[in-house]
Amino acid sequence: MQKTLFRRVRTAVDRVGLLANLRADFAASLVVFLIAVPLSVGIAVASGVPVELGLVTGIVGGLLTGLLPGNSMQVSGPAAGLTVLVYEAVREYGLRALGVLVLTAGLLQVAMGLLKLGRWFRAISVAVVQGMLAGIGIVLIAGQLYALADADAPAGALEKLGGLVTLLTDTLASADSLAALAVGVGTVAVLVLWPRWQWGARLVPAPLAAVALAMTAVGLLRLPVDRVRVRGLFDAIQPPWSGDFARLTEFGVLGTVLAFALIASAETLFSAAAVDRLHDGPRTDYNKELIAQGAGNTVCGVLGALPMTAVIVRSSANVNAGARTKASRVLHGVWLLVFATLLPWALELIPVAALAGVLVHAGWKLLPGRELGPLWRDHRGEVAVLVTTTVAIVVTNLFEGVIVGLLLAIVKAAWETSHVHIETTTTRDGRVRARVLGNANFLRLPRLLDELDALYRAGDQRAGRGAERGVELDLTGLRHMDRAVHTALSGWAERHGSLRDGDGNGDGEATGRVVAV
């Protein structure tokens, strides 16, 4: 009797908890949905693809990736971090190739997750990631400044930056461009000021409020600005054909696939680490999250849609809105599907300049701000990596810029971990014993050889005053020595001759020999 009563009470408690979770997740899903619509559409426009493809990626991120294990609070969809790379890929290889790129990148992510490589993404230098985001932010802002004025942007990042003066003069000379600029600047202003109105921010997310106000202003004032063009959800979907996969033999296509996979994975897992700090629930399983993202990108590739990542804006909004389980992110995908299927005409009311304003604001948030000052005071080497990565991305492209940043970070780490110095003592017979201590790699080799040469020259001078000539090299104090250092020091010992005896027969002890390796 008591056991039966206990089971009934426990069942009732579970049902109450389930209903409470469902109520919280339902409310959170609506908040995330309202944020996802303008961001998905804006990212699609900035990527140079039909707006529906941004919604398709959000739907897959909710309905598929949302169901898979990994991080229950994290929400996936198209991200501003890949906008620049997607735009360049579409411009270079065409829209039909996008599905192949995303599908292959997704399969690569799944493979990395199965091989349990997810945790290695946590070892990527934070300075490289910040530099990557800053470079993306600069290129994104530069491109969207043209969209603010309903103007066509040049192709390359440097061309975009170089044409800003001409853009300004052309905009000031055109009434239509000034109207679009007013809409875009007004959108940015709402995005900045809206969160300060606490009651309004709790009721309506800032991106939705900014776009809704822009739509209202354009409609009431009948402003002559460009608006989003809609083709229809199913018309926009373009699955790759079998012939499209032949492009994977091209070196540039393979590089783009690798960039998609690595950057999307890094952005997702860094987002997961940030989301874990926002709630007290289960921590992220990085390998499972990588598999989930890869599965989502594989399906997005089959549908010819944009690549997905975990999006920190949606994920943090999900947590802050009170989500308790993964049901909130799945429901947000349901609302996106309903909206894209039943209300596509609503997209045609959105001014392009308003979406550009949303992305200018998103790009600005990618730039390092307050943390740059303390970083400069405490870790100037990190600032050098960050700035170099950013400049390299702007000058070249995203993939090559990240590679440059990673190489510089590796060199910096090798330099900082190689601490080597020489302790010298003089033996009774006048020779110098040079004991090398610490960690020696090729970066420290020039200075190390210079110091040994200086010791040997000093021994020559003492020999002129009657002291014995020679330097005995002792490497027993080295904790680590790479092959370059070993080879160079062995060669140094061989080059610096032997100690001749008083008869000058050259059969004395070699003074440059390596005592211990």
Side-chain angles (χ1 to χ4, degrees), residues 12-90:
V13 171
D14 290 343
R15 288 177 178 174
V16 171
L18 180 62
L19 290 175
N21 288 345
L22 184 59
R23 190 181 302 112
D25 290 333
F26 180 83
S29 70
L30 291 175
V31 173
V32 178
F33 160 72
L34 294 175
I35 293 175
V37 170
L39 286 179
S40 297
V41 173
I43 290 169
V45 172
S47 300
V49 303
V51 296
E52 295 88 349
L53 295 184
L55 295 174
V56 169
T57 299
I59 293 169
V60 175
L63 298 183
L64 176 61
T65 307
L67 285 171
L68 296 175
N71 186 321
S72 60
M73 296 290 106
Q74 191 156 253
V75 183
S76 300
L82 285 172
T83 301
V84 176
L85 189 58
V86 173
Y87 178 84
E88 294 296 331
V90 171

Side-chain angles (χ1 to χ4, degrees), residues 125-128 375 379-387 412 416:
S125 168
V126 176
V128 174
L375 193 63
H379 305 283
R380 296 190 178 184
E382 293 290 295
V383 176
V385 174
L386 189 158
V387 172
K412 171 183 168 293
E416 291 181 345

Side-chain angles (χ1 to χ4, degrees), residues 20 40 70 203 219 367 370 374 392 492 498:
S40 297
L203 187 64
L367 303 179
R370 297 177 181 177
W492 185 91
S498 60

Side-chain angles (χ1 to χ4, degrees), residues 70-149:
N71 186 321
S72 60
M73 296 290 106
Q74 191 156 253
V75 183
S76 300
L82 285 172
T83 301
V84 176
L85 189 58
V86 173
Y87 178 84
E88 294 296 331
V90 171
R91 184 175 64 87
E92 181 74 19
Y93 307 114
L95 183 59
R96 292 210 59 89
L98 181 61
V100 175
L101 297 173
V102 177
L103 188 153
T104 310
L107 293 176
L108 185 58
Q109 285 182 295
V110 172
M112 290 189 293
L114 293 175
L115 293 173
K116 301 187 182 302
L117 299 180
R119 61 190 181 92
W120 288 102
F121 283 90
R122 302 171 66 184
I124 297 176
S125 168
V126 176
V128 174
V129 176
Q130 290 178 324
M132 177 189 74
L133 296 177
I136 292 170
I138 291 173
V139 177
L140 182 61
I141 291 171
Q144 294 309 302
L145 288 177
Y146 290 85
L148 282 179

